[in-house]
């Protein structure tokens, strides 16, 4: 209980604000005693402002050892036990103004810019509102009201060479400051939730420093049991980014401890996709490279009494862990355990007949230290190590040890591993190995998608999708095939950021980032998805006119391509309305519209079938690319004219699921044991793929290759699919373009509802 805090009524507002400030500081991620200490100072009235709370937190955050704090420095850093009075603030304002009086009288209000900063340095914990009000009051008394001359922009002066040198020096200093800030950002990740007994010895620190030279070393450690997804892109971006900011390096390490699920095709894919994302590992390593050292360390654990050979079945083990009862084989002698473990290595037991378990802590409220398995028997050839081993270490045993063997400085992982922190450090402690700094962050989740490997694997193996690179999946291979660029995905990772708060990323943000980069690099072309025939009556039969169209409207360096204008062309069916609704500025009988790169087209007649569907449009064109009209539409020449226009297959993709969190609604309110793990399969979107077989494309697409990216004008961004052949082009829609008419229509509908 805290002084001044009533469990029923709470506390006064001032104390509540200060306690909230404590909860909001980075100490929530650091050594708990630090946080407790600040709370004690707050309730005693020794840290009376939020600025003092922040200063105290900042000081303690940098401390490496909770038992050794420079108390004098700490008190000075946060003004412990003191409160800056309003009179002290006013005196500081007066002193700074007096010191700068001459400059103020000469330059008036232009000289006030940095004075508040000087005042803040003198009274950092004073009331900010009092500081600003008093400053404005005293400046007004000295200079009087602002004049027009005070508000006028200063005239630019000619620069001389000395000015440039000063500017360069200033820029260099700024760059150095930025580099230091980047290093501080990395340092902020250093601690996470500290465990008092998990500290490195001075000898371990020195040995680690000699190995790294003080360089930051991170790792991206995927298990090669599937294709990488968008969540992995965030992890890759973060691990490589943290190291790069501090001038460090990053390993690509395969945590390949389960040969029954791992395949070489996954290893090859991961190497290739990391490179595609734009990252180059310092080294590519495998946990299996360390199998000999891992085995020797397991023997050491047995000799030290920290591991034993167990014969419980999986079900028996789960039951004893649940009941917190030890295994009947936990008290075997060291000699017997060594003999049995060697027999496991030699293949003298069946699979499941024996495991090596670590002697953890069955009394812990955290289940991870409950005598976890270190080694199990698997008669499966390893995709990297071959058939040398029949016993394989578990992920929990391997991961932390290899982190230490590779001298990783920052072990960065997602929040579900936070509960493994005790077992991670315990194992390194008993083996007398260096303990990296561990920091966990929230996973990336995107609406209308699943990113669990189990779920993705079921979608692939159950033929719900067409392989790991199906463009509807959130796998990196699927996103790339759909047309997303590495730059767009990295932009998403930067926008989402890295925090410890659980969050769900809107699908629209993924599209926004993808669209932003594609808009800069995609070549323009014209394709009509749902064609309706148009006859230009004032052009002769056989008329062919070649027009120049830009490959990019804002980048002339991308060049141009030629398109043919013929008497018969095709336009989009929804670009015409027989009875145009209000706000429709495209084509209708009697109306005019701009044909892109041609000029003004006026519709004179339209034919319809029995159902009222338009079948043929007639009209006249005025060829003048400078003409203006409210509406502008794209078009494609008649393929039958024989001038390169051709049919193309379009695959129009939508989200794979109809629910933002697939399966959540079905499992809402159910106990964990009653939840349907495959509920997400019940909300698959039946319209996630629509194939258009006979869209019409302009001739510039004839030589397109797999992976080429285009903006089909007014239709969307598309990417050429690998299924394309020399005589059959297939394009995947990456995402649509913004449609201002639909947006306006939506707003109009909303107004009607209101």
């Amino acid at each position: 209980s805290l002084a001044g805090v009533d469990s029923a009524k709470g506390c006064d507002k001032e104390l509540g604000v200060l306690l909230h400030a404590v909860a909001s500081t980075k100490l929530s991620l650091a050594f708990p005693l630090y946080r407790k200490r600040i709370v004690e100072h707050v309730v005693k009235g020794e840290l009376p402002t939020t600025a003092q709370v922040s200063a105290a937190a900042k000081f303690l955050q940098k401390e490496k050892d909770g038992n050794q704090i420079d108390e004098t420095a700490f008190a000075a850093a946060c003004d412990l036990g003191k409160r800056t009075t309003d009179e002290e603030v006013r005196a500081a304002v007066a002193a700074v103004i007096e010191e700068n009086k001459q400059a103020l009288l000469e330059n008036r209000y232009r000289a006030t810019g940095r004075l508040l900063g000087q005042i803040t340095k003198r009274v950092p914990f004073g009331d900010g509102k009092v500081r600003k009000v008093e400053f404005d009051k005293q400046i007004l008394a000295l200079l009087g009201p602002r004049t027009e001359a005070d508000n006028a922009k200063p005239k630019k002066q000619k620069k001389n060479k000395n000015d440039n040198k000063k500017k360069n020096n200033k820029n260099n200093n700024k760059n150095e400051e930025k580099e230091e800030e980047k290093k501080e950002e990395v340092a902020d990740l250093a601690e996470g939730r500290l465990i008092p007994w998990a500290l490195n010895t001075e000898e371990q620190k020195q040995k680690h420093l000699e190995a790294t030279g003080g360089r930051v070393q991170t790792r991206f450690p995927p298990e090669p049991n599937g294709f990488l997804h968008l969540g992995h892109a965030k992890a890759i971006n973060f691990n490589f980014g943290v190291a790069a900011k501090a001038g460090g390096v990053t390993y690509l390490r395969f945590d390949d401890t389960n040969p029954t699920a791992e395949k070489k095709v996954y290893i090859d894919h991961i190497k290739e996709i990391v490179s595609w994302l734009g990252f180059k590992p310092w080294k590519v390593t495998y946990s299996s490279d360390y199998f000999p050292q891992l085995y020797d360390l397991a023997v050491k654990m047995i000799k030290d009494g920290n591991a034993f050979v167990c014969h419980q079945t999986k079900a028996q083990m789960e039951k004893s862990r649940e009941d917190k009862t030890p295994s009947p084989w936990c008290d075997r002698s060291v000699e017997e355990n060594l003999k049995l473990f060697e027999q496991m290595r030699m293949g003298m037991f069946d699979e499941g007949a024996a495991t090596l378990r670590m002697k953890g802590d069955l009394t812990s409220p955290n289940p991870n230290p409950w005598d976890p398995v270190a080694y199990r028997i698997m008669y499966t050839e390893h995709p990297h190590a071959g058939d040398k081993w029949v016993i394989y270490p578990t992920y929990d045993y391997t991961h932390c040890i290899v982190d230490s063997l590779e001298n990783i400085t920052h072990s960065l992982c997602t929040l579900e591993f936070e509960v493994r922190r005790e077992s991670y450090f315990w194992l390194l402690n008993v083996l007398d190995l260096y303990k990296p700094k561990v920091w966990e962050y929230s996973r990336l989740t995107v609406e209308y998608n699943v990113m669990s490997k189990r779920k993705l694997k079921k979608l692939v193996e159950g033929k719900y999708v067409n392989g790991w690179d199906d463009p509807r999946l959130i796998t990196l291979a699927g996103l790339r095939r759909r047309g997303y660029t590495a730059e767009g995905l990295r932009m998403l990772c930067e926008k989402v950021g890295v925090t410890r708060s659980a969050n769900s990323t809107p699908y629209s943000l993924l599209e926004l980032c993808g669209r932003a980069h594609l808009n800069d690099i995609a070549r323009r072309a014209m394709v009509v998805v749902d064609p309706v025939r148009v006859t230009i009556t004032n052009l002769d039969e056989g008329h062919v006119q070649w027009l120049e169209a830009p490959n990019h409207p804002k980048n002339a360096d991308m060049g141009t391509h030629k398109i043919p204008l013929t008497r018969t062309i095709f336009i989009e069916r929804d670009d015409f309305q027989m009875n145009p609704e209000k706000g429709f500025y495209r084509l209708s009988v009697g109306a005019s519209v701009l044909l892109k790169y041609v000029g003004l087209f006026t519709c004179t007649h339209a034919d319809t079938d029995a159902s009222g569907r338009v079948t043929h449009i007639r009209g006249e064109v005025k060829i003048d690319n400078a003409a203006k009209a409210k509406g502008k539409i794209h078009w494609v020449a008649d393929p039958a004219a024989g001038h390169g226009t051709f049919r193309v297959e379009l695959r129009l993709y939508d989200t794979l699921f109809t629910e933002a969190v697939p399966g959540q609604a079905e499992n809402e309110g159910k106990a964990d044991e009653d939840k349907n793990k495959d509920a997400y399969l019940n909300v698959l979107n039946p319209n996630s793929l629509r194939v258009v077989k006979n869209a019409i494309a302009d001739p510039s697409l004839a030589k397109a290759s797999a992976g080429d990216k285009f903006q089909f004008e007014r239709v969307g961004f598309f990417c050429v699919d690998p299924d394309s052949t020399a005589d059959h082009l297939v394009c995947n829609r990456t995402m649509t373009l913004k449609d201002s008419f639909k947006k306006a229509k939506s707003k109009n509908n909303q107004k009607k509802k209101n």
Side-chain angles (χ1 to χ4, degrees):
S1 61
L2 299 174
V5 180
D6 187 298
S7 58
K9 298 179 181 178
C11 61
D12 64 66
K13 184 177 179 180
E14 185 179 358
L15 179 57
V17 168
L18 294 172
L19 292 175
H20 182 269
V22 178
S24 302
T25 66
K26 288 181 180 177
L27 287 179
S28 59
L29 314 179
F31 194 30
L33 290 180
Y34 290 159
R35 192 176 178 192
K36 181 181 177 184
R37 174 173 180 163
I38 290 186
V39 169
E40 290 173 350
H41 286 311
V42 166
V43 297
K44 288 178 183 177
E46 294 171 340
L47 294 173
T49 68
T50 55
Q52 286 170 276
V53 170
S54 296
K58 188 174 181 180
F59 181 92
L60 294 175
Q61 180 73 13
K62 292 179 180 178
E63 291 300 305
K64 303 299 179 188
D65 189 339
N67 299 318
Q68 297 176 358
I69 294 175
D70 185 334
E71 297 295 340
T72 303
F74 172 67
C78 61
D79 229 9
L80 188 68
K82 300 176 183 177
R83 180 192 284 271
T84 303
T85 66
D86 293 350
E87 284 306 315
E88 288 174 316
V89 173
R90 293 187 183 98
V93 171
V96 169
I97 289 177
E98 183 61 32
E99 289 169 11
N100 292 274
K101 186 174 182 179
Q102 189 61 37
L104 284 166
L105 291 172
E106 289 176 5
N107 299 296
R108 292 180 57 78
Y109 282 91
R110 287 175 192 155
T112 62
R114 296 182 180 181
L115 299 189
L116 272 173
Q118 293 179 28
I119 297 166
T120 302
K121 283 184 179 179
R122 297 194 181 202
V123 281
F125 306 117
D127 188 313
K129 187 176 180 181
V130 172
R131 186 165 57 233
K132 182 67 169 68
V133 169
E134 187 63 25
F135 177 74
D136 290 345
K137 178 182 174 183
Q138 293 193 29
I139 287 291
L140 183 64
L142 177 66
L143 304 178
R146 281 178 176 269
T147 65
E148 288 186 14
D150 292 326
N151 295 325
K153 290 184 179 180
K155 292 181 180 179
K156 291 184 179 179
Q157 295 180 348
K158 289 185 178 180
K159 297 178 182 177
N160 57 40
K161 292 181 180 179
N162 291 331
D163 289 336
N164 287 332
K165 285 181 181 178
K166 288 178 182 178
K167 186 177 180 180
N168 288 335
N169 289 334
K170 191 175 181 181
N171 288 337
N172 289 335
N173 290 336
K174 281 186 177 180
N175 289 335
E176 289 174 8
E177 287 173 9
K178 284 182 180 178
E179 289 303 314
E180 287 304 313
E181 285 174 8
K182 287 179 180 179
K183 289 180 180 179
E184 286 179 13
E185 283 179 37
V186 176
D188 285 344
L189 302 176
E191 305 302 345
R193 177 171 62 87
L194 290 182
I195 297 173
W197 47 262
L199 301 174
N200 289 305
T201 64
E202 289 304 317
E203 183 183 350
Q204 287 171 336
K205 290 178 185 177
Q206 186 58 36
K207 188 177 177 182
H208 174 74
L209 185 61
E210 289 171 3
T212 64
R215 176 180 58 196
V216 168
Q217 296 189 175
T218 62
R219 80 288 179 271
F220 170 59
E223 298 172 66
N225 56 8
F227 277 41
L228 300 188
H229 54 64
L230 194 52
H232 292 112
K234 176 179 176 178
I236 294 167
N237 196 65
F238 185 39
N239 276 281
F240 279 86
V242 164
K245 277 183 178 180
V249 297
T250 302
Y251 285 85
L252 168 57
R253 183 212 304 154
F254 291 98
D255 271 344
D256 53 345
T257 59
N258 183 5
T260 62
E262 296 156 0
K263 297 178 182 178
K264 189 175 183 302
V265 65
Y266 299 143
I267 293 173
D268 293 341
H269 157 74
I270 291 169
K271 288 180 183 176
E272 190 272 329
I273 212 76
V274 169
S275 176
W276 173 75
L277 276 172
F279 299 100
K280 185 177 181 181
W282 182 55
K283 289 182 181 179
V284 177
T285 60
Y286 299 78
S287 291
S288 56
D289 292 339
Y290 300 93
F291 278 179
Q293 294 99 310
L294 292 166
Y295 179 82
D296 291 343
L297 289 169
V299 170
K300 181 182 186 307
M301 289 191 72
I302 294 172
K303 289 180 178 179
D304 292 343
N306 291 316
F308 65 96
V309 174
C310 179
H311 302 288
Q312 284 185 309
T313 64
K314 185 178 179 181
Q316 290 170 339
M317 201 181 298
E318 287 176 355
K319 183 70 168 64
S320 69
R321 280 163 57 88
E322 187 180 317
D323 296 339
K324 295 189 179 182
T325 56
S327 162
W329 290 281
C330 70
D331 293 324
R332 276 176 162 154
S333 67
V334 168
E335 292 73 19
E336 187 179 5
N337 279 318
L338 287 171
K339 179 182 176 182
L340 290 168
F341 188 48
E342 176 63 13
Q343 289 175 352
M344 285 174 61
R345 188 186 69 81
M346 294 174 65
M348 297 173 66
F349 289 101
D350 292 334
E351 284 192 15
T355 58
L356 181 71
R357 293 177 65 183
M358 296 175 271
K359 285 187 179 180
D361 181 7
L362 287 170
T363 65
S364 171
N366 183 339
N368 286 285
W370 295 348
D371 294 0
V373 172
Y375 270 86
R376 67 274 205 228
I377 300 165
M378 293 181 181
Y379 293 108
T380 304
E381 186 170 334
H382 193 280
H384 180 68
D387 58 2
K388 295 178 184 177
W389 298 86
V390 296
I391 57 170
Y392 291 98
T394 59
Y395 175 88
D396 284 337
Y397 174 76
T398 305
H399 186 71
C400 55
I401 294 176
V402 179
D403 273 355
S404 186
L405 294 177
E406 291 187 336
N407 280 296
I408 299 303
T409 59
H410 293 72
S411 177
L412 310 173
C413 47
T414 47
L415 274 171
E416 65 265 30
F417 291 98
E418 209 275 347
V419 294
R420 299 185 182 184
R421 188 177 274 259
E422 278 80 2
S423 53
Y424 180 102
F425 287 128
W426 172 83
L427 181 53
L428 295 179
N429 234 20
V430 299
L431 290 173
D432 195 27
L433 294 174
Y434 178 82
K435 291 167 278 295
K437 295 161 183 173
V438 179
W439 197 83
E440 301 90 359
Y441 57 93
S442 62
R443 298 179 64 167
L444 175 65
T445 59
V446 178
E447 292 176 348
Y448 299 98
N449 286 281
V450 294
M451 283 195 280
S452 151
K453 274 191 181 178
R454 179 190 71 81
K455 292 177 179 178
L456 288 170
K457 196 171 184 181
K458 187 148 190 171
L459 287 168
V460 173
E461 294 180 350
K463 307 295 183 185
Y464 296 98
V465 293
N466 301 316
W468 285 99
D469 66 345
D470 188 302
R472 291 168 292 183
L473 291 178
I474 210 79
T475 59
L476 296 178
L479 289 167
R480 176 171 61 178
R481 185 172 179 180
R482 186 159 173 165
Y484 279 90
T485 62
E487 292 84 351
L489 298 185
R490 293 201 304 268
M491 187 189 302
L492 174 73
C493 294
E494 293 299 327
K495 282 189 176 292
V496 169
V498 179
T499 69
R500 290 174 62 89
S501 303
N503 56 74
S504 182
T505 301
Y507 191 79
S508 58
L509 182 59
L510 169 62
E511 288 194 329
L512 182 144
C513 294
R515 189 182 288 116
H517 186 244
L518 286 171
N519 194 50
D520 290 338
I521 59 104
R523 185 167 80 71
R524 272 45 172 182
M526 292 198 290
V527 173
V528 174
V529 181
D530 186 12
V532 60
R533 181 181 296 274
V534 176
T535 298
I536 305 175
T537 56
N538 63 328
L539 294 183
D540 296 334
E541 291 286 350
H543 176 94
V544 179
Q545 182 177 355
W546 288 93
L547 306 170
E548 290 279 342
N551 288 335
H552 196 290
K554 296 180 180 178
N555 186 353
D557 292 340
M558 290 181 67
T560 63
H561 61 276
K562 291 185 178 296
I563 51 175
L565 173 65
T566 55
R567 177 181 168 85
T568 300
I569 63 171
F570 287 87
I571 68 169
E572 293 287 357
R573 188 172 300 281
D574 63 6
D575 279 337
F576 182 89
Q577 287 186 5
M578 285 296 289
N579 300 299
E581 57 191 297
K582 186 178 180 181
F584 183 80
Y585 298 117
R586 285 170 273 170
L587 205 55
S588 58
V589 177
S592 298
V593 69
L594 276 177
L595 292 181
K596 295 202 79 171
Y597 315 118
V598 179
L600 204 63
F601 177 82
T602 303
C603 176
T604 57
H605 181 78
D607 298 327
T608 59
D609 60 17
S611 66
R613 186 171 181 264
V614 176
T615 57
H616 188 192
I617 297 167
R618 293 181 179 84
E620 295 183 350
V621 69
K622 180 181 179 182
I623 299 178
D624 176 8
N625 203 21
K628 293 183 179 180
K630 280 191 174 181
K632 183 186 290 187
I633 64 175
H634 64 287
W635 57 276
V636 175
D638 184 4
H643 295 288
T645 311
F646 63 102
R647 300 281 176 176
V648 60
E649 178 182 320
L650 302 181
R651 295 175 181 173
L652 308 180
Y653 291 101
D654 201 345
T655 56
L656 186 57
F657 298 95
T658 58
E659 282 184 2
V661 183
Q664 184 182 61
E666 182 179 331
N667 287 322
E668 194 74 42
K670 292 182 181 178
D672 287 344
E673 61 271 17
D674 297 328
K675 288 181 178 178
N676 178 8
K677 291 182 179 179
D678 294 327
Y680 65 100
L681 296 176
N682 297 330
V683 289
L684 284 164
N685 182 4
N687 301 312
S688 60
L689 170 60
R690 180 168 72 90
V691 178
V692 177
K693 291 284 188 182
N694 290 304
I696 308 175
D698 78 41
S700 69
L701 291 172
K703 294 182 180 179
S705 303
D708 286 352
K709 294 164 180 63
F710 295 91
Q711 184 195 107
F712 294 164
E713 299 198 48
R714 300 182 61 250
V715 177
F717 289 100
F718 285 76
C719 180
V720 179
D721 191 82
D723 287 347
S724 299
T725 63
D727 56 359
H728 182 66
L729 189 68
V730 179
C731 295
N732 300 322
R733 184 174 67 190
T734 312
M735 77 277 293
T736 59
L737 302 176
K738 294 180 180 178
D739 192 324
S740 58
F741 172 67
K742 284 184 180 176
K743 219 178 247 187
K745 194 173 175 183
S746 175
K747 285 181 181 178
N748 289 336
N749 290 340
Q750 191 65 37
K751 285 178 183 177
K752 287 176 185 177
K753 287 179 184 178
N754 295 338

